[in-house]
Amino acid sequence: NAGVMQNPRHLVRRRGQEARLRCSPMKGHSHVYWYRQLPEEGLKFMVYLQKENIIDESGMPKERFSAEFPKEGPSILRIQQVVRGDSAAYFCASSGGAMNTEAFFGQGTRLTVV
Amino acid sequence: GENVEQHPSTLSVQEGDSAVIKCTYSDSASNYFPWYKQELGKGPQLIIDIRSNVGEKKDQRIAVTLNKTAKHFSLHITETQPEDSAVYFCAVQTGANNLFFGTGTRLTVIP
C-alpha cells in the first residue's frame, strides 16, 4: 500500500517561471492538505481539498498560488511567476475522512527559486 | 483559526532518560490531537494520536496525555534512544477543519 507520493522531490525554477507540485494521496483517501515549511520552521497550512472541491484555502496567498484536486489524477499545487521567497519545502498530507482521521504526509517537494 | 503553542523549542536528554513535550491550544471544540516526528529531509510521520474522549494513550515507549479542561496535551517518550532524535510537532484539529501545527521541538538524545 503505497503512501502519499509527491513529485518532484526537488524542483529548481528561475524567477518568473511556474512551479507545479504534484501529490497523489494514499489509496482510498479523498482529502488532501498542502503545507509549506521554511528551514527550521513549522508547517504552515495552505489549502485543504476534497475531490473536485476546495474546502479551505485560507492559508494560501490569493495571488500566484492555486490548487486543485480533480476527480482523476493527483492534486496539483501551482505557483505562477515564482519569486525567491517561494523557496521552501511543500508537503501534502492525505486522509480518508474529514473528522478525527489520521493524516499521512508525503516526503515533500523542495522548491528552490534561483 | 486555532492557536497552537508548543514547548520547548529544543530539548536535549541523555540516552535512557525521558522526554516530555507540551502543547496548548485555544479552541475548546478541538477534538483530535496527533503528534508527528520529522527527520531531516523527510516528511512528518504520524507517531501517535489521541481523541477528545480519551485522557491518555500509550504505544510502547511513547504516550500522549490530554487535559481538555486546561486545553493542553503532552508527548512523553521514555527510555530515549539516539534514533528518537528528530523534530516533533503537535497538531490540533477542530471538527472537519484542517490540522493546525505547533512550531516544533527539536529533540536531541545524547548517547
Side-chain angles (χ1 to χ4, degrees):
Chain A
N1 183 17
V4 179
M5 304 300 292
Q6 288 188 249
N7 68 82
R9 290 294 309 276
H10 300 274
L11 183 61
V12 179
R13 284 288 178 266
R14 295 188 183 279
R15 281 178 295 173
Q17 291 185 319
E18 177 180 288
R20 280 183 169 243
L21 288 61
R22 294 175 183 77
C23 171
S24 295
M26 288 180 68
K27 187 176 180 180
H29 284 189
S30 58
H31 299 251
V32 166
Y33 309 81
W34 284 93
Y35 291 84
R36 168 190 164 112
Q37 186 177 42
L38 293 171
E40 304 297 318
E41 294 191 10
L43 295 149
K44 300 297 184 186
F45 166 75
M46 297 183 72
V47 61
Y48 165 34
L49 311 102
Q50 294 180 34
K51 281 286 187 181
E52 300 183 274
N53 290 303
I54 295 175
I55 306 303
D56 182 351
E57 56 183 346
S58 60
M60 195 162 66
K62 288 182 170 37
E63 296 183 356
R64 302 189 299 108
F65 285 74
S66 62
E68 63 177 6
F69 189 15
K71 186 177 181 180
E72 300 292 337
S75 175
I76 305 287
L77 179 66
R78 182 183 179 202
I79 311 173
Q80 294 178 292
Q81 299 172 350
V82 295
V83 301
R84 290 240 171 95
D86 296 332
S87 297
Y90 293 83
F91 291 96
C92 84
S94 74
S95 71
M99 297 179 63
N100 303 342
T101 309
E102 297 92 337
F104 299 93
F105 280 82
Q107 294 298 309
T109 293
R110 278 148 189 83
L111 172 65
T112 302
V113 180
V114 298
Chain B
E2 176 68 270
N3 181 31
V4 183
E5 295 191 359
Q6 183 172 346
H7 299 282
S9 57
T10 59
L11 179 60
S12 292
V13 299
Q14 290 291 137
E15 182 177 357
D17 287 350
S18 295
V20 180
I21 304 170
K22 298 180 180 179
C23 284
T24 62
Y25 58 98
S26 58
D27 190 341
S28 57
S30 297
N31 51 18
Y32 177 59
F33 310 90
W35 285 91
Y36 288 84
K37 174 184 181 183
Q38 187 176 27
E39 295 175 319
L40 190 64
K42 296 185 178 180
Q45 177 189 5
L46 178 67
I47 56 172
I48 195 167
D49 59 11
I50 193 168
R51 290 169 175 80
S52 60
N53 58 343
V54 176
E56 182 174 357
K57 183 177 179 180
K58 189 173 182 180
D59 182 5
Q60 298 183 350
R61 298 186 296 109
I62 296 173
V64 56
T65 58
L66 172 64
N67 184 328
K68 285 219 73 180
T69 303
K71 290 188 282 188
H72 68 69
F73 58 111
S74 300
L75 176 71
H76 305 253
I77 306 174
T78 58
E79 301 172 27
T80 53
Q81 302 168 4
E83 51 265 39
D84 294 329
S85 296
V87 179
Y88 291 81
F89 292 96
C90 64
V92 175
Q93 185 182 45
T94 305
N97 295 326
N98 65 72
L99 282 169
F100 293 93
F101 282 82
T103 50
T105 297
R106 181 175 298 279
L107 173 65
T108 302
V109 179
I110 303 166

